[in-house]
Amino acid sequence: MPLMKLKNAKEKRVGIKQSTRALIEDKVRRLYIAQDADQHVIRRIVTLAEEKGVEIITIDSMHQLGLACSIDVGAATAVEIKE
């Protein structure tokens, strides 16, 4: 299950801004995108991840992604940081 990899990751970043920053700095192993996130919000980060060759994993909901990141609110994106 892909969410278990994120949940058990030693280091992760949650949210559009933090995820984008980590991608720009080439620190990302995997990008997790919530399927119900607004497309105009995540379009740029998806393009950036594709350009960098980062694996993109789609999760059913922002709620599920938030729970996997141990936060009480939904998350549009999260990234697993390289070790």
Side-chain angles (χ1 to χ4, degrees), residues 5-74:
K5 289 182 181 181
L6 178 63
K7 194 169 191 166
N8 295 329
K10 289 184 181 178
E11 192 174 352
K12 58 189 156 237
R13 302 281 191 278
V14 183
I16 298 287
K17 288 181 184 179
Q18 295 292 332
S19 297
T20 300
R21 184 175 296 134
L23 275 165
I24 290 169
E25 296 172 356
D26 292 321
K27 295 181 177 180
V28 176
R29 177 182 309 273
R30 291 180 190 92
L31 169 66
Y32 296 81
I33 300 280
Q35 196 169 14
D36 61 347
D38 290 334
Q39 292 302 308
H40 74 277
V41 173
I42 62 170
R43 186 176 303 127
R44 179 173 180 255
I45 196 168
V46 169
T47 301
L48 183 58
E50 289 171 346
E51 289 171 359
K52 301 256 184 196
V54 171
E55 180 182 4
I56 300 172
I57 298 171
T58 304
I59 304 303
D60 291 337
S61 72
M62 292 174 60
H63 178 72
Q64 285 179 331
L65 190 53
L67 288 176
C69 295
S70 302
I71 60 174
D72 294 330
V73 295

